[in-house]
Amino acid sequence: MAERVLVVGGGGREHALAWKLAQSPQVQQVLVAPGNAGTADCGKIKNSEVSVSNHSILAQFCKDHHVGLVVVGPEAPLAAGIVDDLTAAGVPCFGPTAKAAQLEASKSFAKAFMERHSIPTARYGSFTDPEEACRYICRADFPALVVKASGLAAGKGVIVARDQNEACQAVMDMMKDRAFGSAGETVVVEELLEGEEVSCLCFSDGTSVSLMPPAQDHKRLQDGDQGPNTGGMGAYCPTPQVSPGLLQHIRETVLQKTVDGMKEEGTPYVGVLYAGLMLTKQGPKVLEFNCRLGDPESQVLLPLLKSDLYEVIVNTMEGKLSSCAPVWQQDSFAVTVVMASAGYPGSYKKGVEITGLSLVQDMGLQVFHAGTTLKDGSVVSSGGRVLTVTAVKSSLETALQAANQGVAAIGFPGAVYRRDIGHWAIAHLNQSRRLTYKDSGVDIAAGNKLVDMIKPLAKATSRLGCNSELGGFAGLFDLKAAGFVDPILVSGTDGVGTKLKIAQACGQHGSLGQDLVAMCVNDVLAQGAEPLFFLDYFSCGSLDVNVAASVIGGVAKACEKAGCALLGGETAEMPGVYAPGEYDLAGFCVGAVERGALLPRMKDITGGDLLIGVASSGLHSNGFSLVRKVLERTNLSYNSPALFGKPGQTVGEVLLTPTKLYSRLLLPILHSGAIKAYAHITGGGLLENIPRVLPQELAVDLDASRWSIPPVFAWIHKEGCLSEEEMSRTFNCGLGAVLVVAPVDAQRVLRQLQVHEEAWIVGSLAHKQPGAASVVVRNLQQSLLNVEAVCSGELGAENPGCHGDGTTPRKRKRVGVLISGTGTNLQALIEQAKHPSSSSEIVVVISNRPGVQGLKRASLAGIQTRVVDHKLYGSRAEFDGTIDRVLEEFGVELVCLAGFMRILTGTFVKKWTGKLLNIHPSLLPSFRGVNAQKQALQAGVRVTGCTVHFVAEEVDAGAIIVQETVPVMIRDTEESLSERIKEAEHKAFPTAMELVAGGSVSLGENGHVIWKLQK
């Protein structure tokens, strides 16, 4: 259903937002308040005169006009709490809360925040006393020449002084003469940074960030960056000065760090985050934060956005950025040139007629209006910055040329504009210099820095036979010094597969080191070998030293745990081979075993030998391509709570649980001689790995009921509808290693293992019959289902059609529940919907009262909630209409009234006839209306109960679906009888919901119940 969207603001940014939103097939109409001449009446776009400063009026307007989303352009409404107020009124609004908007609204808050979270910025002081500020300027051991009004000053509250006297005068102007009003009551004095300014923006869903291409604004009025400062005379995007590696660095050290810090401080940042940066010799430093899209940056960013802006905003508000990142045009440049009134940024004339706009459109360019209005059918100027002309071309030079041609085609007497937008970038691109290896994308200095960072980590892994000094051409290992007499060398190599993709998406790299070491070391153990040394290979397109250090640091720690030395490695930077942010890993382990202790001992393995399974930590490092495919079928992202993990864990954190290292655990037992064979359960799962260490004439019989299966496997089995064979051929299913032992040694070995690790006797060997399978895993599906049942309170709604045979799951009825209070009946419905056999899926819970317990119950179950406060509506019809729209939004097919204390209108009831259920605390038709328990006691009946019925226009008169009886005791009070009836309701309501959702019960045209008997 197409939405109506309201954009708040009237500048070029808001015109660009409306223009991009109108391109969405999901948007029916875009209203702009107050708007300008460009948004007055243009296809889907029109202006609105609604007051945006009175949030109550605005909220009511949105409800009356069915506005499904409000997008805020300027900063002032955000700082005034427009998002907080509209959200509280049930109107979705895109942007940060007032508390989060302090990042822009209070420069002193922003600087203190950056200091708390180690975000790079200029050195500073914050002052409420002008004399103290001037003393700071004179005594600072750096040029303290930037003076900022802490509050909002319409982009004009920053003075860059030439000397200390001018800086002190700026302080006095702001604080004593109140040049910027209350915004200057607190001033921030900053170090004057040197370098080039860029704007780096991102979408933030409160947890993840998604970068926009870097842009550059031009503040000075005239060409060559001359003249006074302005709100911005043009912009271009992307900026070639910001390399992919630098942009990733900015993402991690500024934008993601800011979002993490806000979340940590209890103020999640949802919206657009804008960082104005100075590219200094020490690296990028934050000049300022804005809590919205920039102007004129919007006019170059939005034309380069390939994705549907409406979908991007919705995904951002719903916390789905990590899995639904916006897509941007590649190999294109956008340039926008601002046309300003003569006299700007000082006084200027208004009402100047503007012509030639249609000619610019015919040239394939886009005009975004700012300070314009309509007068007698003509477009006239009404502000300082009047309009911008935007061109998108394959090169920056041709985009600037096209934008300038567009400006020249517009008739605007006295207009002021620049002709050199992007001149810094063009100079950068045209710079004549000798090529270096770094120009090709290979940064040798970064590689050397990485080696310096990991040298002490590698040194910590030293062991007998090796000193682990990095930097030579090759590594050495002295087998004799390590105590070997007649050794055989054993080698193994492996990677971590597409687990890499999850780590890169989550920005969590450290645990991959243990995965890499474990995959190789655990393989070497299969020959009975002690791991001696390890080599790593890290390859990427552009080296991010911090990411690489995190990964290789993890390798070093894992080597230390495994008892092997990190002897060396290779870091390969290969521009063009990998996408930005991507890298690959490989590991190589060498071990040694005395000749007489080599495994497997094939001649000793015989029928009747027992199999001991050692617990895995979860998925380890195999099957992740399938896991990612399963995840695509769910509504979960990597940042979603992992209901199959420990409390507080996200999906990404559970999936990234590191692979277990078995060397310290198993080597003493291997040396004892009790182990005949050891199988590492890696790629190929249980079915393919155990036969690799067995004679061909023997078969494996495993019983899955004998070991603990981690919940993540039950989740994969259910959500992926995987067969038993697929599960056991792909995953370890809870066993990271399987040992073959003689029956006489089994209990002793098991006890040794269980001192440090979970382990079980999981099966045995037998002679293989002709044509029989090499491995049989009994009770796997039932064990997985048992895990699902045990975890059903945590795993959320079950998928009833997952039979493990590839058949399509049957469709579940989408249920909406209306509540007013604690939601005990709601809880019973939620529990029912979790059962594998349920025909119901609760998709939304709506309350007419904010903050009630029922809303918390729904949120804990992962169900979407909405508040439609009846007090905010002028009539029942308007209130019911809003409820109806929310139900339609979620595609609800069946509505349950669970303690909903409002009488619905006849119009609503008629629309939902046969799809609207209510529960009443009596055996209808007896004791209708309120105080049913009191009526029953007064009537002296011996039996009462509850009734679930279809809702009809007459109160408590609809066709009855289910009744549950409750005896009336001699000593019953209203309270005691009510409590027992509630228990009956918790049985009856879920039963009725299932009967209707599953199609067993329906309402006939004559108002009677129709039962469909199952064959």
Side-chain angles (χ1 to χ4, degrees), residues 218 220-225 337 404 417-420 423:
H218 293 61
R220 297 285 184 174
L221 181 69
Q222 299 162 2
D223 286 352
D225 294 322
V337 177
N404 285 339
Y417 55 89
R418 288 181 60 160
R419 298 164 180 81
D420 67 342
H423 68 95

Side-chain angles (χ1 to χ4, degrees), residues 330-455:
Q330 302 297 316
D331 303 320
S332 293
F333 287 85
V335 172
T336 196
V337 177
V338 173
M339 299 185 75
S341 297
Y344 175 78
S347 59
Y348 48 81
K349 181 181 177 183
K350 297 181 181 180
V352 178
E353 185 175 353
I354 301 166
T355 60
L357 297 175
S358 60
L359 294 175
V360 180
Q361 302 278 27
D362 294 341
M363 296 165 68
L365 307 176
Q366 182 62 44
V367 176
F368 294 115
H369 291 241
T372 65
T373 189
L374 292 175
K375 183 178 180 182
D376 300 327
S378 298
V379 176
V380 299
S381 65
S382 63
R385 291 191 296 168
V386 177
L387 50 83
T388 65
V389 178
T390 299
V392 177
K393 299 292 179 183
S394 59
S395 73
L396 185 59
E397 293 91 337
T398 54
L400 174 59
Q401 184 180 13
N404 285 339
Q405 288 171 350
V407 168
I410 293 175
F412 180 10
V416 178
Y417 55 89
R418 288 181 60 160
R419 298 164 180 81
D420 67 342
I421 301 302
H423 68 95
W424 286 105
I426 292 171
H428 175 84
L429 293 169
N430 294 336
Q431 190 177 24
S432 175
R433 57 189 175 85
R434 294 176 182 175
L435 284 174
T436 67
Y437 206 1
K438 189 172 183 178
D439 294 323
S440 69
V442 179
D443 190 341
I444 294 175
N448 292 337
K449 181 181 178 183
L450 174 64
V451 171
D452 290 340
M453 290 173 71
I454 61 178
K455 271 184 177 180

Side-chain angles (χ1 to χ4, degrees), residues 499-522:
K499 192 172 187 178
L500 280 167
K501 301 286 279 186
I502 297 175
Q504 290 160 7
C506 296
Q508 298 179 21
H509 311 282
S511 62
L512 291 178
Q514 179 163 325
D515 289 312
L516 187 66
V517 173
M519 294 301 288
C520 299
V521 164
N522 292 345

Side-chain angles (χ1 to χ4, degrees), residues 610-891:
L610 297 181
L611 303 176
I612 295 178
V614 184
S616 70
S617 59
L619 293 166
H620 282 186
S621 299
N622 299 106
F624 276 89
S625 296
L626 179 55
V627 171
R628 288 164 56 232
K629 198 72 177 174
V630 170
L631 196 62
E632 286 177 14
R633 296 177 59 168
T634 70
N635 291 322
L636 298 177
S637 70
Y638 294 130
N639 291 320
S640 299
L643 301 171
F644 47 85
K646 296 176 183 176
Q649 279 190 306
T650 64
V651 170
E653 286 169 343
V654 174
L655 298 183
L656 290 174
T657 301
T659 307
K660 279 188 177 177
L661 282 159
Y662 294 119
S663 53
R664 298 277 194 188
L665 172 71
L666 292 182
L667 276 172
I669 303 173
L670 295 179
H671 291 159
S672 74
I675 307 300
K676 297 183 179 183
Y678 152 72
H680 178 205
I681 310 304
T682 177
L686 298 168
L687 298 188
E688 296 187 7
N689 284 293
I690 303 175
R692 295 167 67 179
V693 298
L694 300 177
Q696 291 185 357
E697 67 272 12
L698 294 179
V700 175
D701 178 44
L702 293 175
D703 184 351
S705 67
R706 295 186 176 185
W707 73 84
S708 297
I709 298 179
V712 65
F713 294 108
W715 173 77
I716 292 167
H717 172 252
K718 175 182 62 125
E719 295 294 345
C721 295
L722 303 185
S723 66
E724 281 185 289
E725 182 178 7
E726 196 66 33
M727 287 295 297
S728 54
R729 190 179 300 282
T730 307
F731 302 109
N732 65 60
C733 296
L735 300 181
V738 173
L739 312 178
V740 180
V741 297
V744 68
D745 295 320
Q747 288 301 323
R748 175 171 56 85
V749 171
L750 187 62
R751 284 193 299 272
Q752 285 179 278
L753 290 169
Q754 289 175 337
V755 171
H756 304 288
E757 187 59 84
E758 281 190 294
W760 314 266
I761 296 175
V762 296
S764 60
L765 300 180
H767 287 282
K768 184 180 176 184
Q769 300 300 316
S774 297
V775 179
V776 173
V777 185
R778 293 182 288 110
N779 299 317
L780 179 58
Q781 177 149 328
Q782 188 57 51
S783 297
L784 289 164
L785 292 174
N786 290 343
V787 174
E788 291 172 27
V790 169
C791 300
S792 61
E794 303 168 5
L795 281 173
E798 304 288 339
N799 187 339
C802 184
H803 304 295
D805 55 6
T807 58
T808 303
R810 72 173 182 269
K811 187 175 181 296
R812 302 174 70 173
K813 191 78 77 176
R814 296 174 68 82
V815 178
V817 184
L818 306 189
I819 64 168
S820 294
T822 58
T824 55
N825 272 325
L826 166 65
Q827 190 64 47
L829 297 177
I830 290 172
E831 296 301 326
Q832 176 60 36
K834 290 177 181 176
H835 289 305
S837 59
S838 175
S839 299
S840 309
E841 178 187 10
I842 300 175
V843 295
V844 65
V845 172
I846 304 171
S847 173
N848 67 306
R849 295 175 181 170
V852 297
Q853 182 65 29
L855 292 173
K856 295 178 182 177
R857 293 179 190 270
S859 296
L860 287 172
I863 299 169
Q864 293 268 11
T865 62
R866 293 289 186 271
V867 176
V868 182
D869 191 339
H870 62 280
K871 295 177 183 177
L872 299 178
Y873 292 83
S875 67
R876 284 172 54 200
E878 188 182 358
F879 170 74
D880 286 5
T882 303
I883 296 277
D884 183 60
R885 284 192 295 277
V886 175
L887 294 172
E888 294 282 1
E889 173 193 345
F890 283 87

Side-chain angles (χ1 to χ4, degrees), residues 109-328:
F109 170 85
K111 296 294 287 189
F113 173 87
M114 286 186 271
E115 191 170 44
R116 286 196 300 275
H117 295 281
S118 302
I119 295 167
T121 188
R123 290 172 283 184
Y124 81 103
S126 181
F127 306 96
T128 54
D129 179 352
E131 303 298 336
E132 190 180 344
C134 289
R135 282 195 295 274
Y136 181 83
I137 290 169
C138 296
R139 295 174 182 175
D141 59 357
F142 53 84
L145 300 178
V146 180
V147 182
K148 297 180 177 181
S150 179
L152 293 177
K156 300 174 183 176
V158 178
I159 302 296
V160 180
R162 286 170 292 188
D163 53 40
Q164 292 178 346
N165 290 333
E166 192 174 310
C168 287
Q169 185 58 51
V171 169
M172 295 302 173
D173 291 345
M174 291 184 192
M175 302 191 79
K176 286 195 169 181
D177 298 340
R178 296 179 64 83
F180 301 113
S182 61
E185 290 175 356
T186 299
V187 298
V188 172
V189 179
E190 283 187 358
E191 172 188 13
L192 177 65
L193 298 176
E194 293 184 358
E196 193 170 343
E197 288 188 43
V198 294
S199 305
C200 288
L201 293 85
C202 68
F203 292 101
S204 167
D205 61 12
T207 300
S208 302
V209 298
S210 182
L211 294 181
M212 304 183 197
Q216 189 173 57
D217 183 12
H218 293 61
K219 292 292 187 186
R220 297 285 184 174
L221 181 69
Q222 299 162 2
D223 286 352
D225 294 322
Q226 300 298 309
N229 265 335
T230 70
M233 294 302 294
Y236 69 94
C237 175
T239 54
Q241 302 94 308
V242 180
S243 67
L246 178 57
L247 187 60
Q248 183 67 15
H249 177 70
I250 291 168
R251 176 191 185 278
E252 292 176 359
T253 61
V254 176
L255 297 171
Q256 186 65 58
K257 220 172 188 181
T258 300
V259 171
D260 291 345
M262 293 296 281
K263 184 177 181 180
E264 181 184 316
E265 295 189 5
T267 309
Y269 191 100
V270 178
V272 171
L273 178 62
Y274 172 133
L277 303 166
M278 183 72 81
L279 304 181
T280 73
K281 290 180 180 178
Q282 294 77 37
K285 295 188 177 183
V286 178
L287 296 173
E288 64 174 354
F289 284 122
N290 291 331
C291 57
R292 35 68 193 184
L293 279 164
D295 188 344
E297 288 93 343
S298 299
Q299 292 91 306
V300 289
L301 284 165
L302 293 175
L304 293 179
L305 178 62
K306 287 181 70 175
S307 299
D308 183 320
L309 178 59
Y310 174 80
E311 290 184 356
V312 172
I313 289 174
V314 171
N315 288 334
T316 302
M317 294 174 72
E318 292 180 353
K320 297 179 179 177
L321 270 184
S322 62
S323 57
C324 304
V327 179
W328 301 86

